[in-house]
Amino acid sequence: MLIRVGMVVFTLGALATVITFVPLFLGTDPFPSAAYFLSMLMGLGFALAGAGFLRSVAAQRRAVRRQAQAADGR
């Protein structure tokens, strides 16, 4: 679940980044600072997805360890 949330937040940040570059190519006035702060969602989304991935890896390792202990009869 955390990985999916991270992907959505990253996508919103990427979209905001693309939108902030549009005025530079069209020669119009730049967007307000809030648009640039939304671009920072890319990093937050990447961090969330990474945390979800590491959490998933840890859960799988615990499950394998429990399964191995049960097979050994401990």
Side-chain angles (χ1 to χ4, degrees):
M1 183 68 170
L2 197 56
I3 295 173
R4 290 181 185 158
V5 171
M7 286 175 34
V8 169
V9 173
F10 181 86
T11 303
L12 290 174
L15 183 64
T17 301
V18 169
I19 289 172
T20 56
F21 277 102
V22 169
L24 297 174
F25 294 120
L26 297 178
T28 60
D29 291 333
F31 288 113
S33 297
Y36 294 98
F37 289 123
L38 285 176
S39 297
M40 293 182 196
L41 288 176
M42 275 178 69
L44 178 63
F46 187 76
L48 284 173
F53 175 74
L54 293 176
R55 200 169 160 193
S56 173
V57 167
Q60 287 178 1
R61 290 182 74 191
R62 282 191 301 270
V64 167
R65 195 173 298 137
R66 268 186 256 131
Q67 192 176 21
Q69 287 175 350
D72 289 342
R74 292 182 183 180

